């Protein structure tokens, strides 16, 4: 602000590097927007309101977009906890050839605030390689990008590892509390291989706490729905499963193996190059 003029007797300062004066008003050098605006009387003193020019508005938007991008990037890193490859799975919201599993996932993302209200999670079950992890990752990325919500994507061995790393109960509790309080928790590849009483107990704690807090959980598993519904061997597992069935809508994933699908696409592409002309 190295220059000033008087507009109807009121002092108005401006920067001659970016702004110029013409006919008693101040304008932006780049976009010619008039900078001096309305008159206001503040505590008995007349002031001239300073307008934002188009360049300033654009700059602010760029700053906001960059800030949003940074926040998304941090949220994704925290979500996938080092599993970089899952960050890239995203729905194409406008594609007409989305599979019915993808459409379900897209609707889940678009209606996520309603899902929170009703505490609706998903139980994605199906064979190995049916694309459950892909679908769950797309949902996680979609929710982060659309709402900037905190999402955690974990599998059971990861949780066990993380717990073992934390020697003190206070650290363990902090870790569990975190899983209990994020907006969406995704437990991938759910199935307790090493059925230790301790980890089963902790998993129940997490799932039950989310149930009480009314926060949705998505679970993907290779177990069949029957196995989940009819667990009789272990009481503690039965307890977990019945909670899951209360919170999550079972969705059978029959999508083609993603790897097979990807290699098929490659073959189609190659055919196009080699045969069509
Ligand atoms: Zn401007």
């Amino acid at each position: 602000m190295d220059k000033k003029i008087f507009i109807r007797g009121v002092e108005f300062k401006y920067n001659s590097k970016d702004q110029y004066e013409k006919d008693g008003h101040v304008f932006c050098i780049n976009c010619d927007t008039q900078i001096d605006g309305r008159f206001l009387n503040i505590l008995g003193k007349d002031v001239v309101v300073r307008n934002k020019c188009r360049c300033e508005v654009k700059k602010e938007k760029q700053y906001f977009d960059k800030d949003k991008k940074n926040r998304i990037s941090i949220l994704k890193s925290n979500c996938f906890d080092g599993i970089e490859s899952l960050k890239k799975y995203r729905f194409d919201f406008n594609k007409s050839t989305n599979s019915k599993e993808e459409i379900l996932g897209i609707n889940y993302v678009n209606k996520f605030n309603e899902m929170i209200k009703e505490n609706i999670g998903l139980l994605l079950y199906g064979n190995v390689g049916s694309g459950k992890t892909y679908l769950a990752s797309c949902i996680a990325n979609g929710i982060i990008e659309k709402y900037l919500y905190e999402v955690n994507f974990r599998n059971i061995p990861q949780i066990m590892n993380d717990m073992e790393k934390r020697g003190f109960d206070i650290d363990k509790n902090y870790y569990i509390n975190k899983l209990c309080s994020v907006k969406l928790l995704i437990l991938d590849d759910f199935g307790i291989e090493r059925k230790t009483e301790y980890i089963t107990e902790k998993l129940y704690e997490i799932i039950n706490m989310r149930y009480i807090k009314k926060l949705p959980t998505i679970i993907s598993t290779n177990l069949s729905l029957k196995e989940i519904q009819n667990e009789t061997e272990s009481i503690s597992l039965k307890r977990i499963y019945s909670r899951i069935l209360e919170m999550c809508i079972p969705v059978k994933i029959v999508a083609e193996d993603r790897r097979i699908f990807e290699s098929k696409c490659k073959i189609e592409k190659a055919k196009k190059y080699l045969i069509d002309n």
Side-chain angles (χ1 to χ4, degrees), residues 206-217:
I206 294 167
I207 288 167
N208 193 49
M209 190 48 81
R210 293 190 65 82
Y211 176 79
I212 292 167
K213 285 187 169 180
K214 293 187 180 300
L215 288 168
T217 308

Side-chain angles (χ1 to χ4, degrees), residues 156 159-160 163 176 179-180 185 187 190 192 196-213 215 217 219 234-247:
I156 307 303
I159 292 177
M160 286 168 76
M163 293 284 280
I176 288 179
L179 294 180
C180 292
L185 175 67
L187 294 172
F190 191 86
I192 303 154
T196 70
E197 206 44 49
Y198 179 72
I199 195 73
T200 315
E201 186 54 42
K202 289 298 162 199
L203 279 172
Y204 179 74
E205 217 178 294
I206 294 167
I207 288 167
N208 193 49
M209 190 48 81
R210 293 190 65 82
Y211 176 79
I212 292 167
K213 285 187 169 180
L215 288 168
T217 308
I219 286 161
S234 149
I235 294 172
S236 40
L237 270 185
K238 192 177 171 64
R239 208 160 60 129
I240 292 184
Y241 291 163
S242 59
R243 260 293 178 259
I244 290 175
L245 289 168
E246 269 178 273
M247 300 158 70

Side-chain angles (χ1 to χ4, degrees), residues 2 7 34 49 68 72 75 81 113 123 125 141 146 167 172 186 194 229 234 241 243 252-253 256 268 274 277:
D2 58 340
I7 305 167
Q34 187 175 325
V49 172
K68 191 177 168 193
I72 287 174
L75 284 168
D81 196 26
N113 282 328
L123 171 63
Y125 67 99
N141 285 316
K146 192 171 164 80
K172 286 185 172 134
I186 299 177
R194 280 196 283 157
Q229 284 167 332
S234 149
Y241 291 163
R243 260 293 178 259
K252 189 174 185 182
I253 305 296
E256 236 179 326
E268 285 304 314
L274 297 173
N277 53 21

